[in-house]
Amino acid sequence: MTDAIPTPHLTLSDGHSIPQLGLGVFLVEPDEAERIVSDALEVGYRHIDTARVYKNEEGVGRAIAKSGIPREELFITTKLWNSDQGADTTPAALDASLERLGLDYVDLYLIHWPAPKYGKHVETWQSMVELRETGKARSVGVSNFLEQHLDDIVAASDVSPVVNQIELHPALQQRALRAHQAQWGIHTESWGPLGQGKYDLAELPGFAAIAEAHGKSLQQVAIRWHLQEGLIVFPKTNRRERMVENADVFDFELSAEQMATIASADQGLRVGAHPDNTDF
Ligand code: NAD
């Protein structure tokens, strides 16, 4: 086992610490998850982002158990699926995720989507806060919440989410939502940080020149940009050499001018679903 990657840690509003860089496992096949997460842990990742709907919590759990890494050195996130929302169903959904992961607690439990179809995000949030009291979820947060959804739950509870995990990459920088959630100390987690590979980073103005200037890949520049923006980021890859590449971002720094160039690449381009328009 190699040393942990030298990622900074951020302090969440509840006092817990989160490694700023991790690995996401969306679209990782159940029978591949153990190998992929084992590779990541060997490379030095200590933060894994999964979800009940990814159907790979068991494999993630097996990799954790086999690694022998002390539990307190890991940061594991999973998410409540939409059809499990509700005061009556949320606690059992977390128990089932813990069972699949083979863990006593997760570091972070998220409401995966506001899911307007169900209309239960407020009562679900209140249930999440109660789960935090049980210790089965050290921290609780949300994902894909828009301003209105955040306002709804903050008005109904004394506890703010520690994070909102939202689609965020150089072509969708979400500055208005980030400013809105910052008023409650809510950290932003970027999903799809590489645009899910659905557009070519080289087509963004100035991006290729910045990569060339640092002798880094386009993906390394994007990950470095997230880190310097203060975002929490967990790019997904199945390939070990890319895990190494994506973590090799601590030996260079983007200048203020380069950060400004990337800021100007924001096009409001969504590659995933809009939270108001989900039917799942
Ligand atoms: P991503 O932006 O991380 O892109 C993944 C794609 O980039 C893959 O196709 C991969 O092959 C490619 N890639 C990774 N590293 C590369 C490299 N060095 N060079 C070239 N290509 C590379 O997209 P994502 O997986 O959707 O997002 C990351 C994580 O965010 C997910 O795994 C998941 O944990 C989380 N997520 C959450 C939600 C949500 O609704 N909360 C939605 C999507 C993803």
Side-chain angles (χ1 to χ4, degrees):
M1 192 69 58
T2 50
D3 291 343
I5 58 174
T7 175
H9 285 57
L10 300 180
T11 303
L12 301 171
S13 59
D14 63 6
H16 291 300
S17 166
I18 184 169
Q20 206 182 348
L21 178 63
L23 180 86
V25 294
F26 177 48
L27 298 182
V28 166
E29 294 296 330
D31 60 355
E32 280 198 294
E34 181 181 336
R35 192 275 297 165
I36 289 167
V37 175
S38 292
D39 277 355
L41 296 174
E42 281 174 25
V43 165
Y45 288 79
R46 295 293 180 264
H47 171 181
I48 306 293
D49 182 273
T50 184
R52 145 23 187 139
V53 78
Y54 301 168
K55 296 187 166 67
N56 55 27
E57 289 172 313
E58 286 98 339
V60 171
R62 281 194 299 274
I64 291 169
K66 280 193 181 166
S67 75
I69 297 170
R71 176 68 185 88
E72 62 275 12
E73 291 179 19
L74 298 171
F75 192 99
I76 309 298
T77 298
T78 196
K79 311 184 192 86
L80 176 82
W81 187 238
N82 303 347
S83 53
D84 289 328
Q85 281 199 29
D88 298 339
T89 44
T90 296
L94 176 56
D95 284 342
S97 278
L98 290 173
E99 173 90 29
R100 287 188 290 269
L101 285 161
L103 299 176
D104 300 329
Y105 69 92
V106 285
D107 296 278
L108 180 58
Y109 197 40
L110 303 180
I111 302 179
H112 205 143
W113 290 86
K117 172 179 161 181
Y118 295 95
K120 291 184 175 173
H121 63 288
V122 173
E123 67 173 78
T124 302
W125 176 250
Q126 289 163 332
S127 185
M128 299 284 283
V129 172
E130 286 168 21
L131 286 176
R132 192 187 69 158
E133 305 309 316
T134 69
K136 292 179 184 178
R138 288 265 166 104
S139 297
V140 288
V142 297
S143 178
N144 297 302
F145 273 41
L146 301 173
E147 284 87 342
Q148 183 61 54
H149 307 123
L150 292 171
D151 293 350
D152 293 345
I153 62 172
V154 168
S157 168
D158 293 337
V159 180
S160 304
V162 294
V163 302
N164 188 15
Q165 182 180 125
I166 54 176
E167 182 186 337
L168 201 158
H169 41 80
L172 179 71
Q173 300 186 13
Q174 302 263 30
R175 296 208 181 259
L177 180 53
R178 285 157 68 188
H180 189 78
Q181 58 202 33
Q183 69 183 297
W184 300 294
I186 300 172
H187 279 281
T188 302
E189 295 192 330
S190 305
W191 71 249
L194 306 175
Q196 297 187 325
K198 290 180 180 168
Y199 63 88
D200 185 357
L201 290 165
E203 286 175 7
L204 301 179
F207 216 93
I210 293 171
E212 198 179 328
H214 289 287
K216 291 287 181 179
S217 69
L218 299 163
Q219 288 76 17
Q220 287 172 315
V221 169
I223 293 164
R224 182 73 208 179
W225 173 79
H226 286 275
L227 296 172
Q228 287 186 217
E229 284 280 329
L231 303 162
I232 299 158
V233 63
F234 24 82
K236 177 253 175 171
T237 178
N238 293 353
R239 288 161 55 173
R240 189 179 174 117
E241 69 274 16
R242 284 184 171 170
M243 294 174 193
V244 172
E245 175 187 334
N246 293 349
D248 182 17
V249 291
F250 300 106
D251 60 352
F252 74 111
E253 192 165 356
L254 300 171
S255 68
E257 194 184 332
Q258 290 167 335
M259 291 295 285
T261 298
I262 300 175
S264 70
D266 190 4
Q267 305 160 21
L269 176 74
R270 274 185 198 275
V271 298
H274 189 287
D276 270 342
N277 299 332
T278 55
D279 59 0
F280 45 81

